Short mmCIF file of all heavy atoms in Angstrom, two decimals:
data_model
loop_
_atom_site.label_atom_id
_atom_site.label_comp_id
_atom_site.label_asym_id
_atom_site.label_seq_id
_atom_site.Cartn_x
_atom_site.Cartn_y
_atom_site.Cartn_z
N PRO A 1 124.40 120.69 44.74
CA PRO A 1 125.01 120.79 43.41
C PRO A 1 124.81 119.56 42.53
O PRO A 1 124.84 119.68 41.30
CB PRO A 1 126.49 121.00 43.72
CG PRO A 1 126.69 120.42 45.09
CD PRO A 1 125.41 120.71 45.81
N THR A 2 124.61 118.40 43.14
CA THR A 2 124.42 117.19 42.33
C THR A 2 122.94 116.87 42.11
O THR A 2 122.62 115.86 41.48
CB THR A 2 125.08 115.97 43.01
OG1 THR A 2 124.52 115.79 44.32
CG2 THR A 2 126.59 116.19 43.14
N GLY A 3 122.06 117.74 42.62
CA GLY A 3 120.63 117.48 42.51
C GLY A 3 120.08 117.84 41.15
O GLY A 3 120.69 118.58 40.37
N SER A 4 118.91 117.30 40.86
CA SER A 4 118.20 117.64 39.63
C SER A 4 116.72 117.41 39.85
O SER A 4 116.32 116.71 40.78
CB SER A 4 118.70 116.79 38.45
OG SER A 4 118.45 115.41 38.70
N LEU A 5 115.92 118.02 39.01
CA LEU A 5 114.47 117.90 39.09
C LEU A 5 113.97 117.12 37.88
O LEU A 5 114.15 117.55 36.74
CB LEU A 5 113.82 119.28 39.12
CG LEU A 5 112.30 119.30 39.02
CD1 LEU A 5 111.68 118.71 40.29
CD2 LEU A 5 111.79 120.72 38.80
N ARG A 6 113.35 115.97 38.14
CA ARG A 6 112.73 115.20 37.06
C ARG A 6 111.28 115.64 36.98
O ARG A 6 110.46 115.33 37.82
CB ARG A 6 112.83 113.70 37.34
CG ARG A 6 112.27 112.83 36.21
CD ARG A 6 112.60 111.37 36.43
NE ARG A 6 114.02 111.11 36.28
CZ ARG A 6 114.64 110.89 35.13
NH1 ARG A 6 113.93 110.92 33.99
NH2 ARG A 6 115.92 110.65 35.08
N THR A 7 110.96 116.40 35.95
CA THR A 7 109.66 117.02 35.83
C THR A 7 108.61 116.03 35.33
O THR A 7 108.94 114.99 34.76
CB THR A 7 109.73 118.20 34.85
OG1 THR A 7 109.97 117.69 33.54
CG2 THR A 7 110.85 119.16 35.23
N PRO A 8 107.31 116.34 35.53
CA PRO A 8 106.25 115.48 35.00
C PRO A 8 106.36 115.27 33.49
O PRO A 8 106.01 114.20 32.98
CB PRO A 8 104.97 116.22 35.37
CG PRO A 8 105.34 117.04 36.56
CD PRO A 8 106.77 117.42 36.36
N ALA A 9 106.87 116.29 32.78
CA ALA A 9 107.01 116.16 31.33
C ALA A 9 107.94 115.01 30.96
O ALA A 9 107.78 114.38 29.91
CB ALA A 9 107.52 117.47 30.73
N SER A 10 108.92 114.72 31.83
CA SER A 10 109.86 113.64 31.53
C SER A 10 109.18 112.28 31.60
O SER A 10 109.67 111.31 31.01
CB SER A 10 111.03 113.68 32.52
OG SER A 10 110.61 113.35 33.83
N HIS A 11 108.06 112.19 32.31
CA HIS A 11 107.32 110.93 32.39
C HIS A 11 106.24 110.83 31.31
O HIS A 11 105.86 109.73 30.91
CB HIS A 11 106.68 110.79 33.78
CG HIS A 11 107.66 110.79 34.90
ND1 HIS A 11 108.49 109.72 35.18
CD2 HIS A 11 107.96 111.75 35.82
CE1 HIS A 11 109.25 110.01 36.23
NE2 HIS A 11 108.95 111.23 36.63
N LEU A 12 105.73 111.98 30.87
CA LEU A 12 104.62 111.98 29.92
C LEU A 12 105.08 111.84 28.48
O LEU A 12 104.34 111.29 27.65
CB LEU A 12 103.80 113.26 30.09
CG LEU A 12 103.12 113.45 31.46
CD1 LEU A 12 102.45 114.82 31.53
CD2 LEU A 12 102.09 112.35 31.69
N LEU A 13 106.27 112.34 28.18
CA LEU A 13 106.75 112.30 26.79
C LEU A 13 107.19 110.89 26.42
O LEU A 13 107.69 110.14 27.27
CB LEU A 13 107.92 113.27 26.61
CG LEU A 13 107.58 114.76 26.71
CD1 LEU A 13 108.84 115.60 26.65
CD2 LEU A 13 106.63 115.16 25.58
N PRO A 14 107.03 110.53 25.14
CA PRO A 14 107.50 109.21 24.71
C PRO A 14 109.02 109.10 24.78
O PRO A 14 109.74 110.11 24.78
CB PRO A 14 107.00 109.12 23.26
CG PRO A 14 106.80 110.54 22.84
CD PRO A 14 106.39 111.29 24.06
N GLY A 15 109.49 107.86 24.82
CA GLY A 15 110.92 107.63 24.95
C GLY A 15 111.75 108.25 23.86
O GLY A 15 112.85 108.75 24.09
N ALA A 16 111.22 108.25 22.62
CA ALA A 16 111.96 108.83 21.51
C ALA A 16 112.18 110.33 21.71
O ALA A 16 113.24 110.87 21.38
CB ALA A 16 111.19 108.59 20.21
N ALA A 17 111.18 111.00 22.27
CA ALA A 17 111.32 112.44 22.54
C ALA A 17 112.31 112.68 23.66
O ALA A 17 113.15 113.59 23.60
CB ALA A 17 109.96 113.04 22.89
N ARG A 18 112.23 111.87 24.72
CA ARG A 18 113.14 112.05 25.84
C ARG A 18 114.59 111.77 25.45
O ARG A 18 115.53 112.30 26.06
CB ARG A 18 112.75 111.13 27.00
CG ARG A 18 111.40 111.44 27.61
CD ARG A 18 111.27 110.79 28.98
NE ARG A 18 111.54 109.36 28.94
CZ ARG A 18 110.61 108.44 28.71
NH1 ARG A 18 109.35 108.81 28.52
NH2 ARG A 18 110.91 107.15 28.70
N ALA A 19 114.79 110.95 24.43
CA ALA A 19 116.14 110.63 23.98
C ALA A 19 116.80 111.82 23.28
O ALA A 19 118.03 111.88 23.20
CB ALA A 19 116.11 109.43 23.04
N ASN A 20 115.99 112.77 22.80
CA ASN A 20 116.54 113.98 22.21
C ASN A 20 117.30 114.78 23.28
O ASN A 20 116.77 115.01 24.37
CB ASN A 20 115.43 114.82 21.60
CG ASN A 20 115.94 116.10 20.98
OD1 ASN A 20 116.13 117.11 21.64
ND2 ASN A 20 116.16 116.06 19.67
N GLU A 21 118.52 115.20 22.98
CA GLU A 21 119.35 115.85 23.98
C GLU A 21 118.70 117.11 24.54
O GLU A 21 118.67 117.33 25.76
CB GLU A 21 120.71 116.20 23.37
CG GLU A 21 121.66 116.85 24.37
CD GLU A 21 123.00 117.21 23.74
OE1 GLU A 21 123.16 116.97 22.51
OE2 GLU A 21 123.88 117.71 24.45
N LEU A 22 118.15 117.96 23.66
CA LEU A 22 117.55 119.21 24.11
C LEU A 22 116.32 118.94 24.96
O LEU A 22 116.17 119.53 26.05
CB LEU A 22 117.17 120.07 22.90
CG LEU A 22 116.49 121.40 23.23
CD1 LEU A 22 117.40 122.29 24.05
CD2 LEU A 22 116.06 122.11 21.94
N ILE A 23 115.44 118.06 24.51
CA ILE A 23 114.23 117.77 25.28
C ILE A 23 114.58 117.11 26.60
O ILE A 23 113.96 117.39 27.65
CB ILE A 23 113.28 116.88 24.45
CG1 ILE A 23 112.81 117.64 23.20
CG2 ILE A 23 112.09 116.43 25.29
CD1 ILE A 23 111.94 116.82 22.28
N GLY A 24 115.59 116.24 26.59
CA GLY A 24 116.02 115.63 27.83
C GLY A 24 116.49 116.65 28.84
O GLY A 24 116.18 116.56 30.04
N GLN A 25 117.21 117.67 28.40
CA GLN A 25 117.67 118.73 29.30
C GLN A 25 116.52 119.58 29.81
O GLN A 25 116.53 120.04 30.96
CB GLN A 25 118.68 119.61 28.57
CG GLN A 25 120.00 118.91 28.27
CD GLN A 25 120.91 119.77 27.40
OE1 GLN A 25 120.45 120.68 26.72
NE2 GLN A 25 122.19 119.47 27.43
N MET A 26 115.52 119.79 28.97
CA MET A 26 114.37 120.59 29.39
C MET A 26 113.55 119.91 30.48
O MET A 26 112.98 120.58 31.35
CB MET A 26 113.46 120.87 28.18
CG MET A 26 114.02 121.80 27.14
SD MET A 26 112.82 121.97 25.79
CE MET A 26 113.70 123.09 24.70
N THR A 27 113.47 118.59 30.43
CA THR A 27 112.56 117.88 31.31
C THR A 27 113.23 117.30 32.55
O THR A 27 112.55 116.97 33.52
CB THR A 27 111.85 116.75 30.55
OG1 THR A 27 112.85 115.88 29.98
CG2 THR A 27 110.99 117.32 29.44
N VAL A 28 114.55 117.14 32.53
CA VAL A 28 115.30 116.74 33.72
C VAL A 28 116.33 117.84 33.97
O VAL A 28 117.34 117.93 33.28
CB VAL A 28 115.99 115.38 33.53
CG1 VAL A 28 116.75 114.99 34.80
CG2 VAL A 28 114.97 114.30 33.19
N ARG A 29 116.06 118.68 34.96
CA ARG A 29 116.78 119.94 35.09
C ARG A 29 117.78 119.87 36.25
O ARG A 29 117.39 119.76 37.41
CB ARG A 29 115.80 121.08 35.29
CG ARG A 29 114.68 121.10 34.25
CD ARG A 29 113.85 122.34 34.37
NE ARG A 29 114.57 123.51 33.93
CZ ARG A 29 114.54 124.00 32.71
NH1 ARG A 29 113.85 123.39 31.76
NH2 ARG A 29 115.22 125.08 32.39
N PRO A 30 119.06 119.98 35.95
CA PRO A 30 120.07 119.98 37.02
C PRO A 30 120.07 121.30 37.78
O PRO A 30 119.66 122.34 37.25
CB PRO A 30 121.38 119.80 36.25
CG PRO A 30 121.10 120.40 34.90
CD PRO A 30 119.65 120.10 34.62
N PHE A 31 120.52 121.26 39.02
CA PHE A 31 120.59 122.47 39.84
C PHE A 31 121.90 123.24 39.62
O PHE A 31 121.97 124.42 39.94
CB PHE A 31 120.47 122.12 41.32
CG PHE A 31 119.18 121.45 41.70
CD1 PHE A 31 119.08 120.70 42.86
CD2 PHE A 31 118.05 121.57 40.89
CE1 PHE A 31 117.88 120.09 43.21
CE2 PHE A 31 116.86 120.95 41.23
CZ PHE A 31 116.76 120.22 42.39
N ALA A 32 122.92 122.55 39.14
CA ALA A 32 124.22 123.19 38.96
C ALA A 32 125.03 122.44 37.92
O ALA A 32 124.77 121.27 37.63
CB ALA A 32 124.98 123.23 40.29
N GLN A 33 125.99 123.14 37.34
CA GLN A 33 127.00 122.49 36.52
C GLN A 33 128.13 122.06 37.44
O GLN A 33 128.85 122.89 38.01
CB GLN A 33 127.52 123.45 35.43
CG GLN A 33 126.53 123.69 34.31
CD GLN A 33 127.09 124.59 33.22
OE1 GLN A 33 126.36 125.34 32.61
NE2 GLN A 33 128.39 124.50 32.97
#
């Protein structure tokens, strides 16, 4: 439940993009709420 997947997109996108809340959620995906 506390796990998450840090996708390759989270490493390839610039920091400004990753700081966006929606993009951050898309690229680092939790397994559970």
